Amino acid sequence: MVGEIANFAAYAFAPALLVTPLGALSIIFSAVLAHFILKEKLHMFGVLGCALCVVGSTTIVLHAPHERNIHSVKEVWELATEPGFIVYFCAVVILVSLLIFRYAPRYGQSHMIVYIGICSLMGSLTVMSVKAVGIALKLTFEGMNQFIYFQTWIFTTIVITCCLLQINYLNKALDIFNTAVISPVYYVAFTSFTIFASIIMFKDWDTQTPTQIASELCGFVTILSGTFLLHKTKDMGNKPAEPTVHPIPQHPPNKGTDDTLDI
């Protein structure tokens, strides 16, 4: 709970292009804590996966864009109502509607990408709205009340709606498919769509050089590699339980059952 609140607050002070990929650090902490507390052995591939996540995160932090100076939630609304993001928003709503009403009833039980697609697409809108609400809260605490504007309440409604949809369909995916497969795929899809939405709405790459953009992409790919490696090999350090062999009971032959006839 504390971690989610801190993550929510981070969006008010840093660009989503920086905050979202750093979610991979929670995977590292989970692996390390499991090693020391739950005595789950962190094998060589696990250490390599953690190292890749750290290197990728450091690369993104060093080359991340600066946060825009926003003085009112109305400025966020203006960014959200520009043609580029409106097209993205409408495309997400159409795709999610198709996945929910057409493909989920038919293929949801057999193709995890249906539920993951719903959660990831809605997640990108959630993060953009969370960032708007976070900025509104930050400015309100600084003495400029932003909750007198209807835009703040629209962003809040979008956050609640998208979160409920994400929780619902992510739970459905976890009930059907293996968590070890769902977690990395969902992380990749959610982070990718969120970064794409942030680039469109907040124009994070407009003030950056091609070298900085390439470095951020390399850092992102490095994090993805470490995440997949951690999830793919997380059970390698645990010795499988030896199967219990039950001896076959030996029954003594019953007397008087000889098929031969005495003459």
Side-chain angles (χ1 to χ4, degrees):
M1 182 65 179
V2 176
E4 293 302 322
I5 294 174
N7 193 45
F8 178 90
Y11 283 111
F13 297 94
L17 190 63
L18 171 62
V19 177
T20 306
L22 293 184
L25 294 178
S26 63
I27 301 173
I28 299 175
F29 293 133
S30 299
V32 173
L33 289 176
H35 176 74
F36 289 104
I37 298 177
L38 302 178
K39 305 302 179 183
E40 295 181 1
K41 186 178 179 182
L42 191 62
H43 50 82
M44 181 182 66
F45 291 106
V47 174
L48 179 59
C50 291
L52 288 173
C53 289
V54 170
V55 171
S57 301
T58 304
T59 303
I60 290 179
V61 169
L62 292 176
H63 299 89
H66 296 289
E67 174 69 346
R68 296 172 63 103
N69 291 323
I70 296 177
H71 304 93
S72 171
V73 74
K74 289 184 176 180
E75 295 183 28
V76 184
W77 179 259
E78 291 176 0
L79 294 173
T81 52
E82 288 187 357
F85 191 76
I86 289 178
V87 170
Y88 177 79
F89 182 88
C90 294
V92 168
V93 171
I94 292 171
L95 286 173
V96 169
S97 300
L98 285 173
L99 289 173
I100 291 176
F101 298 109
R102 182 178 177 85
Y103 294 104
R106 299 181 182 181
Y107 308 109
Q109 301 292 321
S110 56
H111 296 77
M112 68 175 182
I113 197 62
V114 175
Y115 291 146
I116 294 299
I118 296 171
C119 296
S120 302
L121 288 167
M122 296 304 293
S124 65
L125 299 182
T126 303
V127 170
M128 297 302 101
S129 301
V130 162
K131 186 169 180 62
V133 175
I135 291 173
L137 287 172
K138 181 184 73 170
L139 294 174
T140 300
F141 290 145
E142 292 176 355
M144 296 174 286
N145 186 10
Q146 301 296 304
F147 287 89
I148 60 175
Y149 303 121
F150 72 92
Q151 291 93 338
T152 304
W153 296 105
I154 291 178
F155 285 127
T156 303
T157 303
I158 294 174
V159 169
I160 296 172
T161 304
C162 293
C163 284
L164 291 176
L165 280 173
Q166 283 181 259
I167 293 171
N168 180 40
Y169 286 99
L170 185 58
N171 285 334
K172 287 184 178 182
L174 292 173
D175 288 340
I176 299 171
F177 304 102
N178 190 346
T179 305
V181 179
I182 289 292
S183 296
V185 174
Y186 175 59
Y187 172 78
V188 171
F190 167 73
T191 306
S192 300
F193 284 122
T194 300
I195 290 175
F196 185 63
S198 180
I199 292 170
I200 295 175
M201 181 171 172
F202 291 98
K203 302 174 178 60
D204 293 323
W205 282 355
D206 285 1
T207 58
Q208 291 194 290
T209 64
T211 302
Q212 291 175 316
I213 295 174
S215 299
E216 290 170 9
L217 291 175
C218 290
F220 180 51
V221 172
T222 304
I223 291 176
L224 298 186
S225 303
T227 303
F228 270 105
L229 188 61
L230 272 172
H231 281 279
K232 193 69 176 178
T233 62
K234 69 175 185 177
D235 295 327
M236 287 181 61
N238 302 324
K239 295 181 179 179
E242 296 182 358
T244 304
V245 179
H246 298 285
I248 301 175
Q250 301 291 333
H251 298 287
N254 296 328
K255 294 182 179 181
T257 59
D258 191 1
D259 293 336
T260 58
L261 297 177
D262 293 333
I263 299 177

